[in-house]
Amino acid sequence: MTDTLGPIAAQRERNSQLLARAEQLAERAERADRGEQPELTPRRALPVILFPANTRNSGPLPDTARAEFLSGLRTKLAELFQSPASDAPASAAEEAALAGANDSQASPLATVLGAACGTCRGDCCTAGGTHAFLRADSLLRVREQRRAAGHEDSADSMEAAYAAHLPSRHYRGSCVYHTANACALPRAMRSNLCNRYLCGSLTQLTRALEESGADAGYVAA
């Protein structure tokens, strides 16, 4: 028998302690903000959600990573352009509408989720590596969007568009487009996965806001 926790159990214990500390800070901040006496006014029930944290350092985008990304993209585009251009299927049209959404018209919930997402500085983006999650469905959608906007419909043109957005610096070992100022790609050019993905913490925050009826919450990373 040993009292030593395994890696998963130890992480859960650490997360529990961090969350408890975050809740204490949130309660203190709420009461100070309202200028009310704690013993007379109960704490408002705003959710407190623990997020992961990207702790990578930023550095120059390696030439090898740039070359590997462009090589993989070139192969995917060559396959994509083997088929003639056609009207986007319904699924691609739906993704295009999502990718083209104007952030200034975002719902209150989307605004809160966007702010919360930025708190962890893109921990989920670290899996993007030299592929940036750009699969055939995403590239088809971008191709159709570019055609509709009057851009040249060719593999070389699309490759040049993606190459133009490669940053000079990114988070080391992360997605080639993952920078300290968020994703270097315009939303319309990002993968469908990137535009739709909600991590476990964002899902938990969404549920907490819906259940509590609150329009704000506290996020700890």
Side-chain angles (χ1 to χ4, degrees):
M1 296 292 290
T2 177
D3 293 331
T4 302
L5 296 175
I8 295 178
Q11 184 61 52
R12 287 175 177 169
E13 177 64 21
R14 180 172 181 271
N15 288 348
S16 178
Q17 294 174 0
L18 289 172
L19 182 58
R21 176 59 176 159
E23 290 174 339
Q24 292 175 355
L25 294 173
E27 182 173 356
R28 184 184 306 169
E30 273 192 12
R31 289 172 173 171
D33 182 59
R34 292 181 298 172
E36 297 167 337
Q37 300 180 40
E39 65 274 14
L40 298 180
T41 307
R43 175 179 178 268
R44 186 174 50 188
L46 288 181
V48 180
I49 307 298
L50 187 66
F51 276 67
N54 167 33
T55 59
R56 283 171 165 78
N57 293 320
S58 180
L61 177 65
D63 291 340
T64 53
R66 181 186 299 270
E68 186 174 341
F69 168 75
L70 290 175
S71 176
L73 177 66
R74 195 173 299 121
T75 298
K76 296 171 187 175
L77 290 175
E79 295 175 355
L80 174 65
F81 279 86
Q82 285 179 357
S83 301
S86 61
D87 292 335
S91 58
E94 291 173 1
E95 295 290 353
L98 177 68
N102 189 331
D103 290 339
S104 65
Q105 299 175 348
S107 67
L109 175 60
T111 300
V112 173
L113 294 182
C117 183
T119 302
C120 88
R121 301 193 302 168
D123 182 70
C124 62
C125 302
T126 59
T130 56
H131 54 74
F133 302 107
L134 288 168
R135 298 190 294 260
D137 57 341
S138 301
L139 294 174
L140 170 61
R141 187 253 303 161
V142 174
R143 179 187 183 185
E144 297 298 341
Q145 287 178 178
R146 288 175 53 80
R147 285 183 62 237
H151 293 289
E152 177 186 337
D153 184 39
S154 71
D156 288 344
S157 177
M158 272 189 67
E159 181 184 337
Y162 275 99
H165 288 288
L166 283 169
S168 59
R169 296 178 65 85
H170 79 142
Y171 280 117
R172 299 180 189 276
S174 187
C175 176
V176 290
Y177 288 107
H178 186 196
T179 78
N181 295 317
C183 182
L185 275 178
R187 181 174 296 278
M189 295 179 68
R190 298 175 195 171
S191 76
N192 296 339
L193 176 62
C194 293
N195 283 329
R196 285 192 175 277
Y197 181 70
L198 290 180
C199 69
S201 295
L202 285 175
T203 301
Q204 186 181 359
L205 177 59
T206 301
R207 187 181 304 115
L209 292 173
E210 292 174 346
E211 292 177 350
S212 67
D215 59 0
Y218 290 96
V219 170

